[in-house]
Amino acid sequence: MALIIALSRSLHLQHKLRVGLASVSARSMSSLNTRARAVFSAAVEGVHPDMVVRRGLERHGDKLHVGGQSFTLTNNLYLVGFGKAVLGMAAEAERIVGDHLIKGVVSVPHGIQNTLRSHGKEKMLLESNSRITVMEGAKHNLPDTDAQKSAECIRDLASSLTEKDLLLVLISGGGSALLPAPAPPMSLQEKQDVTRKLAAAGATIQELNTVRRALSLLKGGGLAQCASPAKVVALVLSDVIGDPLDLIASGPTVRSDSSPEEVWAILDNYKLSDSLPSSVKEVLSKSMSGQGSRVKNQPQEVKDNVLNVVIGSNTIALECASRKASELGLRPVILSPGVCGDVRSVARLYGLLSSFACSPGKEPPPELAAEILKLGPEVGIESWDLCRTMNVLVGERKEGWGATCLLAGGEPTVKLSGKGRGGRNQELAMRVGLELSQGEVKSGAVFLSGGTDGQDGPTEAAGAVADGELKEEAASQGLDTDSFLANNDSFTFFSKLSEGRRLLNPGLTGTNVMDVHVMLLPPSPQKDLQ
């Protein structure tokens, strides 16, 4: 606690601050809303599949340079991919190395080809004479029999390769659902039931992927072993905090070091061990006895033949958003690309940061800084990043800058308690809106949360935009915010609120680097206390 108070006091402002107003006009709020949407669009555009593949693949004649290594192309190239972004990645890869491509298979979300076509994004589609087969599945981000067939085709292709071949693997967010290969005797439905119960209990993406790897033939390095002795080059568009290669799409080209004991510990923690189907217990028991540890004992030559390169991430998206914010006359500050934890805690943090930035008077109350720092570990943000951000916000007050654009990214979690339609971005926006509605004087801040893949949970929206007027606006239209939150029904709430104008509807974007949060903070109101 002493450290927190000391850090808070270090933010003390000693200079006289400019005079400001305690309210923000409706016109100003609308302008911030428009700019928030533009900043989000720039974040998504910065991690478009074609752009990240061009950055990752450098071609000079028959030499392919990737991640500091060089590979010789001799009509020996094969391609597989799985994820929400791999269709556009595959199209760009084929434009670069298609003359050496023999065959390819990609597993992509259900309906994505028609959706991209209807949005005028033909560039992200394969040519009619492509050598890559496109297979759709995983409707609503859930593994299904179509995705399982795709996984079987990918496994068959990889297993047919020789030491002379080069396998280019394209991986992006959503890859786990699009590459289901349950270890026998377990069925896809049984594996899906386990992961669904984990997600509903509030398991993190890291915990979900650890369990998925243990129950899969291809995840946790299984695909790389199938492709041995061929060389494997994986281009990864990261959708996991910190870009850990073993967790992105459950690491099909990365040897898993997770032990069976870790898997059991996760299941025990969420009280699911006793209710597991007998087939799942059999798979885990074989793993513990050594019979199922095909990846744990992976030969050294398999690992040496694999190159994994992260070519796109949430950090890159936030950097692009920051540049756009500057172009729009905003003062950008990137908080963190690693926001996680329960959406209620994340919403509280954004509410506190808004109060810190927009509180009247010569300086923010020191107790606000202390509370912000105390909450940081719950939402995955380092104290250093919070202090740096608060110092920028204090500088705005001291120097009289215009509106500030606070940027962050990550993947918070929602603990399900109801049966409504919604997603973490829409629920987060709703909760932040309620935080901004508190107090006698509203901050005037505008908050946006959106999934970069364009799909927030099993809904048509990517997220939503909220501000301090949300609670009053909902009440005037007969909408009880508490009831919608209790039922996890944020999509229905935003659809009904003001005819859905607050929803973020970019459609499927063809990419995925988790979520982007944009909070625009107007110039803080000040009183000259000279």
Side-chain angles (χ1 to χ4, degrees), residues 376-404:
E378 290 185 34
V379 297
I381 304 178
E382 299 288 341
S383 295
W384 165 253
D385 288 323
L386 288 168
C387 286
R388 172 181 52 80
T389 298
M390 287 189 284
N391 273 316
V392 172
L393 297 178
V394 166
E396 184 276 327
R397 302 168 73 97
K398 182 166 67 174
E399 302 297 335
W401 299 328
T404 299

Side-chain angles (χ1 to χ4, degrees), residues 73-86:
L73 299 173
T74 56
N75 296 312
N76 60 341
L77 181 65
Y78 295 80
L79 182 150
V80 298
F82 30 90
K84 297 176 181 179
V86 302

Side-chain angles (χ1 to χ4, degrees), residues 139-144 188-203 208 211-212 215 267 270 272 276 414 416:
K139 194 172 185 179
H140 296 313
N141 294 331
L142 297 173
D144 55 21
L188 175 60
Q189 185 62 52
E190 288 171 328
K191 180 184 176 186
Q192 193 171 339
D193 286 345
V194 172
T195 54
R196 185 186 292 116
K197 288 177 182 178
L198 274 173
L208 284 168
V211 174
R212 285 176 180 141
L215 303 179
L267 295 169
Y270 294 102
L272 295 176
L276 291 175
V414 174
L416 298 178

Side-chain angles (χ1 to χ4, degrees), residues 335-519:
L335 173 61
S336 170
V339 178
C340 59
D342 192 282
V343 290
R344 290 170 292 188
S345 298
V346 176
R348 179 60 181 155
L349 177 71
Y350 284 126
L352 290 170
L353 286 169
S354 173
S355 296
F356 182 90
C358 302
S359 59
K362 294 179 64 177
E363 61 188 52
E367 59 268 20
L368 275 178
E371 192 173 353
I372 288 169
L373 289 167
K374 185 176 181 180
L375 190 57
E378 290 185 34
V379 297
I381 304 178
E382 299 288 341
S383 295
W384 165 253
D385 288 323
L386 288 168
C387 286
R388 172 181 52 80
T389 298
M390 287 189 284
N391 273 316
V392 172
L393 297 178
V394 166
E396 184 276 327
R397 302 168 73 97
K398 182 166 67 174
E399 302 297 335
W401 299 328
T404 299
C405 179
L406 184 65
L407 296 163
E411 198 164 76
T413 56
V414 174
K415 189 169 185 178
L416 298 178
S417 58
K419 298 182 179 180
R421 292 187 70 197
R424 61 179 177 267
N425 287 285
Q426 291 162 84
E427 182 156 331
L428 177 59
M430 190 174 175
R431 290 185 180 277
V432 172
L434 296 178
E435 290 282 345
L436 298 177
S437 301
Q438 295 181 7
E440 295 181 4
V441 179
K442 298 182 178 66
S443 70
V446 170
F447 179 82
L448 177 153
S449 183
T452 55
D453 61 355
Q455 186 176 26
D456 185 32
T459 76
E460 293 77 38
V465 183
D467 53 48
E469 303 296 330
L470 182 136
K471 187 173 184 178
E472 184 177 326
E473 184 180 328
S476 70
Q477 297 175 34
L479 300 175
D480 182 3
T481 54
D482 291 340
S483 296
F484 282 102
L485 285 173
N487 197 35
N488 299 118
D489 205 14
S490 53
F491 177 72
T492 303
F493 169 79
F494 279 113
S495 296
K496 290 183 176 181
L497 183 67
S498 301
E499 299 179 335
R501 284 195 291 270
R502 290 180 177 270
L503 284 170
L504 190 61
N505 290 309
L508 284 176
T509 63
T511 191
N512 184 25
V513 293
M514 299 184 289
D515 306 333
V516 167
H517 305 155
V518 181
M519 186 159 69

